């Protein structure tokens, strides 16, 4: 963990330390945004290929993997492919769960171990918060190794429901009419295609987020029970009954709005930034051969560097934009556990917030 001054408030330290986990939250949303600019450029025509630089085989896009057109997701293979995606997603979720668990406990301000005094590069004395491994070791000492996976079941169900929802929406609203961006398009045409495709991705992401959010709330509350050693939320069905009885239907959707805003900002920011960078800053005439031959002298080779740069643009933009949208995720997670009868959502760990805007303003003044 990074260093912090002794006088920094717990919630502020939790928000700053939680930035280390922003990339994990971005990964889930990055799946929704992955289809726009990563396949934004078509390969060069066949007659321009060079003998020393054969054109790579076309990679299947996300659109070809659903039931709308031929490929892995067509016909009888669609259920098998969807089950494969659910299984792969479950494996990644299970492996990354301890990281998210520790991040959430830091976000709510739970600091069971005292910070250590050290010096930074400027020689100033600062307090170092426990690292992820130190925190994880403490959880194992208290709850055993299985304790690192508290709240995993509802999170697995939430991710599976999100994946199935997106697959079903692609069948109901097939994206056949959405054209892919080509390097032959002018700037206005390519921008229209990016906007249209991002709008489609945003619709799927928002619907899947709304349907899976109740399970996300249950998972968050199961994890923060570690703070007060409660056992209020012990199972998915019993948790559903408790939330409905105490908070009504709206209790399942606390913290939904900041999460939706974060998803929307992430999608549009990532896709548009990647599109403009690829369109205006990446030069198709750049060659990776000695001497930098142009189009007429060495056709086919000038695309290798440009395509390599474009393949990394989406990834880099995803990291950058996820840092900007992290406050939305932080507010959403804090609202999911706030004033729910658990010690982590009550003073002194956290004030009782009236709304997510109240939570946002409170955290803003703590920095």
């Amino acid at each position: 963990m990074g260093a912090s001054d002794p006088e920094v408030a717990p919630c502020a330290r939790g928000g700053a330390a939680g930035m280390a986990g922003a990339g994990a939250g971005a990964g889930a949303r990055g799946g929704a945004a992955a289809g726009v600019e990563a396949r934004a450029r078509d390969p060069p025509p066949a007659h321009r290929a060079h003998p020393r630089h054969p054109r790579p085989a076309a990679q299947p896009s996300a659109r070809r993997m659903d039931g709308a057109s031929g490929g892995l997701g067509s016909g009888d293979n669609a259920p098998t492919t969807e089950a494969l995606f659910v299984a792969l997603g479950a494996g990644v979720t299970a492996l990354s769960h301890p990281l998210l668990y520790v991040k959430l406990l830091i976000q709510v301000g739970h600091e069971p171990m005292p910070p250590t005094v050290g010096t930074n590069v400027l020689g100033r004395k600062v307090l170092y918060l426990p690292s992820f491994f130190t925190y994880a070791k403490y959880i194992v000492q208290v709850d055993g190794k299985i304790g690192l996976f508290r709240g995993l079941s509802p999170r697995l169900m939430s991710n599976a429901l999100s994946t199935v929802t997106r697959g079903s929406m692609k069948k109901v609203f097939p994206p056949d009419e959405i054209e892919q961006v080509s390097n032959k398009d002018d700037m206005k045409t390519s921008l229209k295609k990016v906007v249209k495709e991002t709008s489609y991705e945003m619709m799927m992401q928002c619907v899947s987020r709304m349907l899976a959010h109740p399970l996300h709330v249950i998972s968050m509350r199961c994890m923060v029970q570690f703070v007060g050693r409660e056992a209020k939320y012990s199972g998915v069905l019993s948790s559903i009954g408790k939330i409905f009885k105490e908070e009504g239907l709206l209790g399942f959707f606390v913290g939904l709005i900041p999460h939706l805003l974060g998803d929307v900002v992430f999608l549009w920011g990532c896709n548009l930034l990647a599109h403009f960078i690829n369109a205006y800053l990446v030069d198709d005439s750049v060659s990776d051969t000695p001497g930098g031959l142009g189009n007429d002298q060495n056709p086919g080779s000038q695309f290798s560097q440009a395509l390599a740069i474009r393949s990394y643009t989406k990834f880099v933009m995803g990291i950058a934009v996820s840092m900007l949208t992290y406050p939305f995720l932080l507010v959403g997670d804090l609202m999911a556990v706030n004033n729910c009868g658990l010690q982590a959502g009550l003073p002194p760990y956290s004030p009782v917030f009236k709304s997510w805007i109240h939570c946002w303003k409170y955290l803003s003044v703590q920095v």
Side-chain angles (χ1 to χ4, degrees):
M1 289 299 173
S4 64
D5 294 331
E7 65 273 10
V8 178
C11 282
R13 288 202 299 269
M19 293 291 288
R29 295 174 304 162
V36 181
E37 198 70 29
R39 56 179 186 270
R41 300 284 176 169
D42 293 337
H47 68 275
R48 300 184 66 178
H50 193 273
R52 294 184 181 179
H53 300 274
R55 184 175 61 175
Q59 298 297 322
S61 66
R63 185 169 293 106
R64 293 185 211 142
M65 298 186 72
D66 55 32
S69 55
L72 289 174
S74 60
D76 297 335
N77 291 332
T80 304
T81 304
E82 190 171 89
L84 177 62
F85 282 131
V86 171
L88 291 175
V92 173
T93 300
L95 291 175
S96 63
H97 187 76
L99 177 62
L100 183 139
Y101 185 18
V102 170
K103 184 189 76 169
L104 179 63
L105 293 179
I106 295 174
Q107 286 177 335
V108 299
H110 184 51
E111 300 173 4
M113 295 165 289
T116 58
V117 180
T119 56
N120 58 15
V121 293
L122 301 177
R124 180 186 175 188
K125 288 188 177 182
V126 291
L127 294 179
Y128 285 93
L129 297 173
S131 66
F132 163 75
F133 296 102
T134 304
Y135 216 128
K137 184 178 180 180
Y138 173 79
I139 295 175
V140 171
Q141 292 175 351
V142 176
D143 283 345
K145 293 182 179 179
I146 196 66
L148 288 173
F149 299 94
R150 181 194 292 262
L152 176 61
S153 297
R155 187 165 174 241
L156 289 174
M157 296 173 63
S158 173
N159 289 354
L161 179 59
S162 179
T163 301
V164 173
T165 300
R166 293 175 64 85
S168 300
M169 289 189 64
K170 285 186 177 181
K171 296 176 184 178
V172 177
F173 304 101
D176 293 342
E177 66 279 3
I178 299 180
E179 302 180 34
Q180 295 185 22
V181 179
S182 170
N183 57 358
K184 300 178 181 179
D185 296 331
D186 56 35
M187 302 309 323
K188 187 175 181 180
T189 302
S190 62
L191 181 59
K192 286 183 178 179
K193 290 181 179 181
V194 171
V195 170
K196 188 175 183 180
E197 193 161 355
T198 304
S199 300
Y200 180 80
E201 291 289 338
M202 181 183 66
M203 177 192 67
M204 291 196 301
Q205 178 66 17
C206 290
V207 173
S208 62
R209 169 71 73 178
M210 287 188 291
L211 293 179
H213 191 74
L215 292 169
H216 174 77
V217 171
I218 295 174
S219 178
M220 295 292 104
R221 295 184 179 184
C222 288
M223 286 188 276
V224 299
Q225 288 183 134
F226 178 83
V227 176
R229 311 304 301 160
E230 298 107 338
K232 181 178 181 180
Y233 300 96
S234 56
V236 175
L237 295 179
S238 60
S239 298
I240 291 175
K242 285 185 175 67
I243 294 176
F244 184 77
K245 181 179 180 181
E246 297 177 1
E247 305 173 50
L249 189 61
L250 294 179
F252 295 103
F253 298 97
V254 288
L256 173 62
I257 294 179
H259 273 292
L260 287 177
L261 291 176
D263 290 341
V264 171
V265 172
F266 178 86
L267 277 172
W268 285 99
C270 186
N271 292 340
L272 291 179
L273 282 175
H275 170 70
F276 286 126
I277 289 176
N278 289 336
Y280 291 102
L281 299 182
V282 180
D283 188 2
D284 285 329
S285 64
V286 176
S287 172
D288 62 346
T289 58
L293 298 178
N295 296 351
D296 298 333
Q297 296 161 310
N298 195 7
S301 65
Q302 73 271 16
F303 289 94
S304 56
Q305 276 192 3
L307 290 177
I309 294 174
R310 291 191 178 99
S311 65
Y312 288 102
T313 303
K314 172 68 69 173
F315 174 75
V316 175
M317 288 300 100
I319 296 177
V321 177
S322 67
M323 299 294 286
L324 296 177
T325 58
Y326 173 75
F328 292 99
L329 303 183
L330 174 62
V331 172
D333 289 345
L334 292 181
M335 289 302 299
V337 301
N338 187 255
N339 197 25
C340 64
L342 299 178
Q343 185 176 341
L346 296 170
Y349 285 96
S350 171
V352 176
F353 299 116
K354 299 178 181 178
S355 66
W356 72 270
I357 298 178
H358 180 202
C359 178
W360 184 290
K361 292 180 178 179
Y362 173 81
L363 294 177
S364 298
V365 300
Q366 302 300 315
V367 178

